PDB file of all heavy atoms in Angstrom:
ATOM      1  N   TRP A   1      -5.073 -14.000  17.347  1.00  0.00           N
ATOM      2  CA  TRP A   1      -4.143 -12.963  16.800  1.00  0.00           C
ATOM      3  C   TRP A   1      -3.521 -13.392  15.463  1.00  0.00           C
ATOM      4  O   TRP A   1      -3.428 -12.635  14.557  1.00  0.00           O
ATOM      5  CB  TRP A   1      -3.057 -12.625  17.819  1.00  0.00           C
ATOM      6  CG  TRP A   1      -2.044 -11.754  17.331  1.00  0.00           C
ATOM      7  CD1 TRP A   1      -2.064 -10.391  17.235  1.00  0.00           C
ATOM      8  CD2 TRP A   1      -0.757 -12.122  16.783  1.00  0.00           C
ATOM      9  NE1 TRP A   1      -0.935  -9.911  16.690  1.00  0.00           N
ATOM     10  CE2 TRP A   1      -0.054 -10.930  16.400  1.00  0.00           C
ATOM     11  CE3 TRP A   1      -0.064 -13.332  16.622  1.00  0.00           C
ATOM     12  CZ2 TRP A   1       1.159 -10.979  15.880  1.00  0.00           C
ATOM     13  CZ3 TRP A   1       1.197 -13.385  16.094  1.00  0.00           C
ATOM     14  CH2 TRP A   1       1.817 -12.194  15.731  1.00  0.00           C
ATOM     15  N   SER A   2      -3.092 -14.673  15.435  1.00  0.00           N
ATOM     16  CA  SER A   2      -2.370 -15.091  14.259  1.00  0.00           C
ATOM     17  C   SER A   2      -3.322 -15.318  13.008  1.00  0.00           C
ATOM     18  O   SER A   2      -2.875 -15.332  11.858  1.00  0.00           O
ATOM     19  CB  SER A   2      -1.585 -16.378  14.525  1.00  0.00           C
ATOM     20  OG  SER A   2      -2.445 -17.442  14.786  1.00  0.00           O
ATOM     21  N   ASN A   3      -4.545 -15.511  13.262  1.00  0.00           N
ATOM     22  CA  ASN A   3      -5.492 -15.846  12.165  1.00  0.00           C
ATOM     23  C   ASN A   3      -6.338 -14.613  11.799  1.00  0.00           C
ATOM     24  O   ASN A   3      -6.870 -14.602  10.602  1.00  0.00           O
ATOM     25  CB  ASN A   3      -6.369 -16.938  12.558  1.00  0.00           C
ATOM     26  CG  ASN A   3      -5.691 -18.275  12.458  1.00  0.00           C
ATOM     27  OD1 ASN A   3      -5.272 -18.758  11.428  1.00  0.00           O
ATOM     28  ND2 ASN A   3      -5.472 -18.901  13.596  1.00  0.00           N
ATOM     29  N   PHE A   4      -6.538 -13.664  12.579  1.00  0.00           N
ATOM     30  CA  PHE A   4      -7.498 -12.580  12.289  1.00  0.00           C
ATOM     31  C   PHE A   4      -6.931 -11.189  12.385  1.00  0.00           C
ATOM     32  O   PHE A   4      -7.745 -10.218  12.197  1.00  0.00           O
ATOM     33  CB  PHE A   4      -8.714 -12.693  13.247  1.00  0.00           C
ATOM     34  CG  PHE A   4      -9.497 -13.992  13.049  1.00  0.00           C
ATOM     35  CD1 PHE A   4      -9.432 -15.019  13.932  1.00  0.00           C
ATOM     36  CD2 PHE A   4     -10.235 -14.169  11.896  1.00  0.00           C
ATOM     37  CE1 PHE A   4     -10.102 -16.185  13.776  1.00  0.00           C
ATOM     38  CE2 PHE A   4     -10.948 -15.360  11.636  1.00  0.00           C
ATOM     39  CZ  PHE A   4     -10.849 -16.374  12.597  1.00  0.00           C
ATOM     40  N   THR A   5      -5.639 -10.986  12.631  1.00  0.00           N
ATOM     41  CA  THR A   5      -5.076  -9.645  12.608  1.00  0.00           C
ATOM     42  C   THR A   5      -4.085  -9.624  11.464  1.00  0.00           C
ATOM     43  O   THR A   5      -3.433 -10.687  11.180  1.00  0.00           O
ATOM     44  CB  THR A   5      -4.410  -9.289  13.930  1.00  0.00           C
ATOM     45  OG1 THR A   5      -3.283 -10.119  14.126  1.00  0.00           O
ATOM     46  CG2 THR A   5      -5.377  -9.330  15.125  1.00  0.00           C
ATOM     47  N   GLU A   6      -3.877  -8.463  10.855  1.00  0.00           N
ATOM     48  CA  GLU A   6      -2.984  -8.385   9.774  1.00  0.00           C
ATOM     49  C   GLU A   6      -1.541  -8.684  10.189  1.00  0.00           C
ATOM     50  O   GLU A   6      -0.810  -9.397   9.516  1.00  0.00           O
ATOM     51  CB  GLU A   6      -3.033  -7.022   9.109  1.00  0.00           C
ATOM     52  CG  GLU A   6      -2.190  -6.896   7.864  1.00  0.00           C
ATOM     53  CD  GLU A   6      -2.329  -5.625   7.124  1.00  0.00           C
ATOM     54  OE1 GLU A   6      -2.551  -4.588   7.703  1.00  0.00           O
ATOM     55  OE2 GLU A   6      -2.241  -5.689   5.831  1.00  0.00           O
ATOM     56  N   SER A   7      -1.141  -8.193  11.352  1.00  0.00           N
ATOM     57  CA  SER A   7       0.271  -8.455  11.803  1.00  0.00           C
ATOM     58  C   SER A   7       0.453  -9.936  12.093  1.00  0.00           C
ATOM     59  O   SER A   7       1.552 -10.481  11.872  1.00  0.00           O
ATOM     60  CB  SER A   7       0.580  -7.600  13.034  1.00  0.00           C
ATOM     61  OG  SER A   7      -0.317  -7.901  14.122  1.00  0.00           O
ATOM     62  N   GLY A   8      -0.602 -10.579  12.584  1.00  0.00           N
ATOM     63  CA  GLY A   8      -0.487 -12.058  12.811  1.00  0.00           C
ATOM     64  C   GLY A   8      -0.359 -12.856  11.486  1.00  0.00           C
ATOM     65  O   GLY A   8       0.403 -13.804  11.374  1.00  0.00           O
ATOM     66  N   MET A   9      -1.151 -12.392  10.450  1.00  0.00           N
ATOM     67  CA  MET A   9      -1.087 -13.052   9.198  1.00  0.00           C
ATOM     68  C   MET A   9       0.275 -12.874   8.491  1.00  0.00           C
ATOM     69  O   MET A   9       0.827 -13.733   7.890  1.00  0.00           O
ATOM     70  CB  MET A   9      -2.217 -12.629   8.298  1.00  0.00           C
ATOM     71  CG  MET A   9      -3.588 -13.093   8.751  1.00  0.00           C
ATOM     72  SD  MET A   9      -4.897 -12.696   7.638  1.00  0.00           S
ATOM     73  CE  MET A   9      -5.210 -10.975   8.012  1.00  0.00           C
ATOM     74  N   ILE A  10       0.829 -11.618   8.695  1.00  0.00           N
ATOM     75  CA  ILE A  10       2.141 -11.328   8.131  1.00  0.00           C
ATOM     76  C   ILE A  10       3.216 -12.207   8.809  1.00  0.00           C
ATOM     77  O   ILE A  10       4.044 -12.860   8.097  1.00  0.00           O
ATOM     78  CB  ILE A  10       2.538  -9.848   8.279  1.00  0.00           C
ATOM     79  CG1 ILE A  10       1.621  -9.021   7.421  1.00  0.00           C
ATOM     80  CG2 ILE A  10       3.971  -9.591   7.989  1.00  0.00           C
ATOM     81  CD1 ILE A  10       1.693  -7.495   7.681  1.00  0.00           C
ATOM     82  N   ASP A  11       3.150 -12.329  10.135  1.00  0.00           N
ATOM     83  CA  ASP A  11       4.061 -13.165  10.860  1.00  0.00           C
ATOM     84  C   ASP A  11       3.985 -14.627  10.431  1.00  0.00           C
ATOM     85  O   ASP A  11       4.987 -15.231  10.156  1.00  0.00           O
ATOM     86  CB  ASP A  11       3.764 -13.027  12.352  1.00  0.00           C
ATOM     87  CG  ASP A  11       4.839 -13.668  13.217  1.00  0.00           C
ATOM     88  OD1 ASP A  11       6.035 -13.514  12.940  1.00  0.00           O
ATOM     89  OD2 ASP A  11       4.515 -14.363  14.204  1.00  0.00           O
ATOM     90  N   ALA A  12       2.793 -15.142  10.292  1.00  0.00           N
ATOM     91  CA  ALA A  12       2.578 -16.511   9.847  1.00  0.00           C
ATOM     92  C   ALA A  12       3.109 -16.738   8.501  1.00  0.00           C
ATOM     93  O   ALA A  12       3.722 -17.758   8.147  1.00  0.00           O
ATOM     94  CB  ALA A  12       1.126 -16.934   9.951  1.00  0.00           C
ATOM     95  N   CYS A  13       2.939 -15.775   7.586  1.00  0.00           N
ATOM     96  CA  CYS A  13       3.365 -15.828   6.185  1.00  0.00           C
ATOM     97  C   CYS A  13       4.909 -15.935   6.168  1.00  0.00           C
ATOM     98  O   CYS A  13       5.432 -16.805   5.499  1.00  0.00           O
ATOM     99  CB  CYS A  13       2.834 -14.599   5.425  1.00  0.00           C
ATOM    100  SG  CYS A  13       3.505 -14.515   3.766  1.00  0.00           S
ATOM    101  N   LEU A  14       5.530 -15.026   6.923  1.00  0.00           N
ATOM    102  CA  LEU A  14       7.031 -15.009   6.890  1.00  0.00           C
ATOM    103  C   LEU A  14       7.555 -16.233   7.561  1.00  0.00           C
ATOM    104  O   LEU A  14       8.572 -16.800   7.114  1.00  0.00           O
ATOM    105  CB  LEU A  14       7.549 -13.743   7.579  1.00  0.00           C
ATOM    106  CG  LEU A  14       7.140 -12.443   6.970  1.00  0.00           C
ATOM    107  CD1 LEU A  14       7.603 -11.265   7.775  1.00  0.00           C
ATOM    108  CD2 LEU A  14       7.640 -12.346   5.488  1.00  0.00           C
ATOM    109  N   ASP A  15       6.956 -16.818   8.585  1.00  0.00           N
ATOM    110  CA  ASP A  15       7.372 -18.041   9.204  1.00  0.00           C
ATOM    111  C   ASP A  15       7.286 -19.205   8.245  1.00  0.00           C
ATOM    112  O   ASP A  15       8.068 -20.160   8.377  1.00  0.00           O
ATOM    113  CB  ASP A  15       6.531 -18.386  10.445  1.00  0.00           C
ATOM    114  CG  ASP A  15       6.898 -17.434  11.644  1.00  0.00           C
ATOM    115  OD1 ASP A  15       7.910 -16.835  11.609  1.00  0.00           O
ATOM    116  OD2 ASP A  15       6.107 -17.440  12.610  1.00  0.00           O
ATOM    117  N   ASP A  16       6.362 -19.218   7.309  1.00  0.00           N
ATOM    118  CA  ASP A  16       6.192 -20.253   6.342  1.00  0.00           C
ATOM    119  C   ASP A  16       7.047 -20.078   5.095  1.00  0.00           C
ATOM    120  O   ASP A  16       6.879 -20.733   4.088  1.00  0.00           O
ATOM    121  CB  ASP A  16       4.745 -20.440   5.953  1.00  0.00           C
ATOM    122  CG  ASP A  16       3.900 -21.131   6.999  1.00  0.00           C
ATOM    123  OD1 ASP A  16       4.532 -21.791   7.904  1.00  0.00           O
ATOM    124  OD2 ASP A  16       2.707 -21.088   6.960  1.00  0.00           O
ATOM    125  N   GLY A  17       7.850 -19.058   5.117  1.00  0.00           N
ATOM    126  CA  GLY A  17       8.810 -18.855   4.005  1.00  0.00           C
ATOM    127  C   GLY A  17       8.195 -18.032   2.829  1.00  0.00           C
ATOM    128  O   GLY A  17       8.783 -18.056   1.743  1.00  0.00           O
ATOM    129  N   GLY A  18       7.151 -17.325   3.109  1.00  0.00           N
ATOM    130  CA  GLY A  18       6.449 -16.573   2.036  1.00  0.00           C
ATOM    131  C   GLY A  18       6.870 -15.075   2.096  1.00  0.00           C
ATOM    132  O   GLY A  18       7.739 -14.649   2.889  1.00  0.00           O
ATOM    133  N   ALA A  19       6.351 -14.342   1.191  1.00  0.00           N
ATOM    134  CA  ALA A  19       6.523 -12.898   1.088  1.00  0.00           C
ATOM    135  C   ALA A  19       5.182 -12.168   1.228  1.00  0.00           C
ATOM    136  O   ALA A  19       4.217 -12.626   0.552  1.00  0.00           O
ATOM    137  CB  ALA A  19       7.201 -12.549  -0.236  1.00  0.00           C
ATOM    138  N   TRP A  20       5.041 -11.238   2.117  1.00  0.00           N
ATOM    139  CA  TRP A  20       3.803 -10.563   2.275  1.00  0.00           C
ATOM    140  C   TRP A  20       3.646  -9.391   1.256  1.00  0.00           C
ATOM    141  O   TRP A  20       4.573  -8.574   1.171  1.00  0.00           O
ATOM    142  CB  TRP A  20       3.663 -10.003   3.693  1.00  0.00           C
ATOM    143  CG  TRP A  20       2.392  -9.334   3.958  1.00  0.00           C
ATOM    144  CD1 TRP A  20       2.085  -8.016   3.954  1.00  0.00           C
ATOM    145  CD2 TRP A  20       1.150 -10.003   4.227  1.00  0.00           C
ATOM    146  NE1 TRP A  20       0.784  -7.786   4.215  1.00  0.00           N
ATOM    147  CE2 TRP A  20       0.131  -8.966   4.410  1.00  0.00           C
ATOM    148  CE3 TRP A  20       0.770 -11.334   4.338  1.00  0.00           C
ATOM    149  CZ2 TRP A  20      -1.169  -9.295   4.663  1.00  0.00           C
ATOM    150  CZ3 TRP A  20      -0.546 -11.630   4.645  1.00  0.00           C
ATOM    151  CH2 TRP A  20      -1.484 -10.611   4.892  1.00  0.00           C
ATOM    152  N   SER A  21       2.537  -9.378   0.514  1.00  0.00           N
ATOM    153  CA  SER A  21       2.233  -8.304  -0.372  1.00  0.00           C
ATOM    154  C   SER A  21       1.399  -7.213   0.254  1.00  0.00           C
ATOM    155  O   SER A  21       0.218  -7.526   0.537  1.00  0.00           O
ATOM    156  CB  SER A  21       1.590  -8.855  -1.628  1.00  0.00           C
ATOM    157  OG  SER A  21       1.128  -7.797  -2.477  1.00  0.00           O
ATOM    158  N   TYR A  22       1.969  -6.133   0.594  1.00  0.00           N
ATOM    159  CA  TYR A  22       1.240  -5.084   1.322  1.00  0.00           C
ATOM    160  C   TYR A  22       0.152  -4.485   0.376  1.00  0.00           C
ATOM    161  O   TYR A  22      -0.894  -4.070   0.855  1.00  0.00           O
ATOM    162  CB  TYR A  22       2.221  -3.972   1.781  1.00  0.00           C
ATOM    163  CG  TYR A  22       2.958  -4.415   2.980  1.00  0.00           C
ATOM    164  CD1 TYR A  22       4.241  -4.939   2.921  1.00  0.00           C
ATOM    165  CD2 TYR A  22       2.395  -4.337   4.308  1.00  0.00           C
ATOM    166  CE1 TYR A  22       4.931  -5.376   3.984  1.00  0.00           C
ATOM    167  CE2 TYR A  22       3.140  -4.756   5.383  1.00  0.00           C
ATOM    168  CZ  TYR A  22       4.354  -5.282   5.262  1.00  0.00           C
ATOM    169  OH  TYR A  22       5.098  -5.689   6.297  1.00  0.00           O
ATOM    170  N   GLU A  23       0.445  -4.407  -0.919  1.00  0.00           N
ATOM    171  CA  GLU A  23      -0.560  -3.792  -1.836  1.00  0.00           C
ATOM    172  C   GLU A  23      -1.799  -4.711  -1.919  1.00  0.00           C
ATOM    173  O   GLU A  23      -2.923  -4.160  -1.963  1.00  0.00           O
ATOM    174  CB  GLU A  23       0.060  -3.676  -3.175  1.00  0.00           C
ATOM    175  CG  GLU A  23       1.178  -2.686  -3.314  1.00  0.00           C
ATOM    176  CD  GLU A  23       2.518  -3.269  -2.896  1.00  0.00           C
ATOM    177  OE1 GLU A  23       2.672  -4.516  -2.899  1.00  0.00           O
ATOM    178  OE2 GLU A  23       3.393  -2.506  -2.545  1.00  0.00           O
ATOM    179  N   GLN A  24      -1.621  -5.966  -1.925  1.00  0.00           N
ATOM    180  CA  GLN A  24      -2.727  -6.952  -2.050  1.00  0.00           C
ATOM    181  C   GLN A  24      -3.245  -7.499  -0.695  1.00  0.00           C
ATOM    182  O   GLN A  24      -4.210  -8.221  -0.654  1.00  0.00           O
ATOM    183  CB  GLN A  24      -2.374  -8.045  -2.989  1.00  0.00           C
ATOM    184  CG  GLN A  24      -2.033  -7.602  -4.402  1.00  0.00           C
ATOM    185  CD  GLN A  24      -1.546  -8.723  -5.263  1.00  0.00           C
ATOM    186  OE1 GLN A  24      -1.369  -9.916  -4.819  1.00  0.00           O
ATOM    187  NE2 GLN A  24      -1.300  -8.500  -6.557  1.00  0.00           N
ATOM    188  N   SER A  25      -2.431  -7.205   0.304  1.00  0.00           N
ATOM    189  CA  SER A  25      -2.717  -7.788   1.681  1.00  0.00           C
ATOM    190  C   SER A  25      -2.867  -9.284   1.651  1.00  0.00           C
ATOM    191  O   SER A  25      -3.840  -9.839   2.229  1.00  0.00           O
ATOM    192  CB  SER A  25      -3.964  -7.074   2.243  1.00  0.00           C
ATOM    193  OG  SER A  25      -3.750  -5.757   2.529  1.00  0.00           O
ATOM    194  N   LYS A  26      -1.970  -9.925   1.047  1.00  0.00           N
ATOM    195  CA  LYS A  26      -1.945 -11.385   1.027  1.00  0.00           C
ATOM    196  C   LYS A  26      -0.571 -11.959   1.013  1.00  0.00           C
ATOM    197  O   LYS A  26       0.368 -11.247   0.630  1.00  0.00           O
ATOM    198  CB  LYS A  26      -2.813 -11.920  -0.110  1.00  0.00           C
ATOM    199  CG  LYS A  26      -2.172 -11.720  -1.467  1.00  0.00           C
ATOM    200  CD  LYS A  26      -3.085 -12.376  -2.523  1.00  0.00           C
ATOM    201  CE  LYS A  26      -2.288 -12.680  -3.798  1.00  0.00           C
ATOM    202  NZ  LYS A  26      -3.045 -13.399  -4.785  1.00  0.00           N
ATOM    203  N   CYS A  27      -0.473 -13.189   1.338  1.00  0.00           N
ATOM    204  CA  CYS A  27       0.754 -13.941   1.302  1.00  0.00           C
ATOM    205  C   CYS A  27       1.044 -14.612  -0.022  1.00  0.00           C
ATOM    206  O   CYS A  27       0.174 -15.186  -0.599  1.00  0.00           O
ATOM    207  CB  CYS A  27       0.729 -14.955   2.455  1.00  0.00           C
ATOM    208  SG  CYS A  27       2.277 -15.861   2.707  1.00  0.00           S
ATOM    209  N   GLU A  28       2.262 -14.522  -0.398  1.00  0.00           N
ATOM    210  CA  GLU A  28       2.670 -15.156  -1.726  1.00  0.00           C
ATOM    211  C   GLU A  28       3.902 -16.033  -1.491  1.00  0.00           C
ATOM    212  O   GLU A  28       4.897 -15.650  -0.901  1.00  0.00           O
ATOM    213  CB  GLU A  28       3.011 -14.067  -2.697  1.00  0.00           C
ATOM    214  CG  GLU A  28       1.850 -13.152  -3.066  1.00  0.00           C
ATOM    215  CD  GLU A  28       2.215 -12.044  -3.957  1.00  0.00           C
ATOM    216  OE1 GLU A  28       3.423 -11.737  -4.135  1.00  0.00           O
ATOM    217  OE2 GLU A  28       1.291 -11.348  -4.421  1.00  0.00           O
ATOM    218  N   GLY A  29       3.745 -17.333  -1.960  1.00  0.00           N
ATOM    219  CA  GLY A  29       4.892 -18.186  -1.926  1.00  0.00           C
ATOM    220  C   GLY A  29       5.126 -18.973  -0.639  1.00  0.00           C
ATOM    221  O   GLY A  29       6.119 -19.697  -0.545  1.00  0.00           O
ATOM    222  N   ALA A  30       4.233 -18.915   0.322  1.00  0.00           N
ATOM    223  CA  ALA A  30       4.424 -19.670   1.536  1.00  0.00           C
ATOM    224  C   ALA A  30       4.011 -21.112   1.344  1.00  0.00           C
ATOM    225  O   ALA A  30       3.192 -21.398   0.497  1.00  0.00           O
ATOM    226  CB  ALA A  30       3.666 -19.037   2.662  1.00  0.00           C
ATOM    227  N   ARG A  31       4.541 -21.989   2.141  1.00  0.00           N
ATOM    228  CA  ARG A  31       4.169 -23.421   2.060  1.00  0.00           C
ATOM    229  C   ARG A  31       2.645 -23.626   2.358  1.00  0.00           C
ATOM    230  O   ARG A  31       2.103 -24.522   1.792  1.00  0.00           O
ATOM    231  CB  ARG A  31       5.028 -24.236   2.991  1.00  0.00           C
ATOM    232  CG  ARG A  31       6.465 -24.241   2.636  1.00  0.00           C
ATOM    233  CD  ARG A  31       7.268 -25.149   3.571  1.00  0.00           C
ATOM    234  NE  ARG A  31       7.240 -24.685   4.946  1.00  0.00           N
ATOM    235  CZ  ARG A  31       8.177 -23.835   5.474  1.00  0.00           C
ATOM    236  NH1 ARG A  31       9.186 -23.475   4.738  1.00  0.00           N
ATOM    237  NH2 ARG A  31       8.123 -23.499   6.714  1.00  0.00           N
TER     238      ARG A  31
END
C-alpha cells in the first residue's frame, strides 16, 4: 500500500516532511 498506491505515497511523503504535488503526482522536499 505504501509503495504502490497514490494515497500510500502521499502519506509516506508527508511523514518524511515533504510536500505532495498533485499536478505532477510526486513528492517534493522530503528527506
Side-chain angles (χ1 to χ4, degrees):
W1 173 80
S2 68
N3 286 293
F4 296 107
T5 65
E6 187 175 32
S7 62
M9 290 185 282
I10 293 169
D11 189 45
C13 175
L14 298 177
D15 285 347
D16 283 344
W20 184 259
S21 171
Y22 286 95
E23 294 82 20
Q24 298 176 355
S25 293
K26 71 176 198 174
C27 186
E28 298 174 347
R31 294 184 295 268

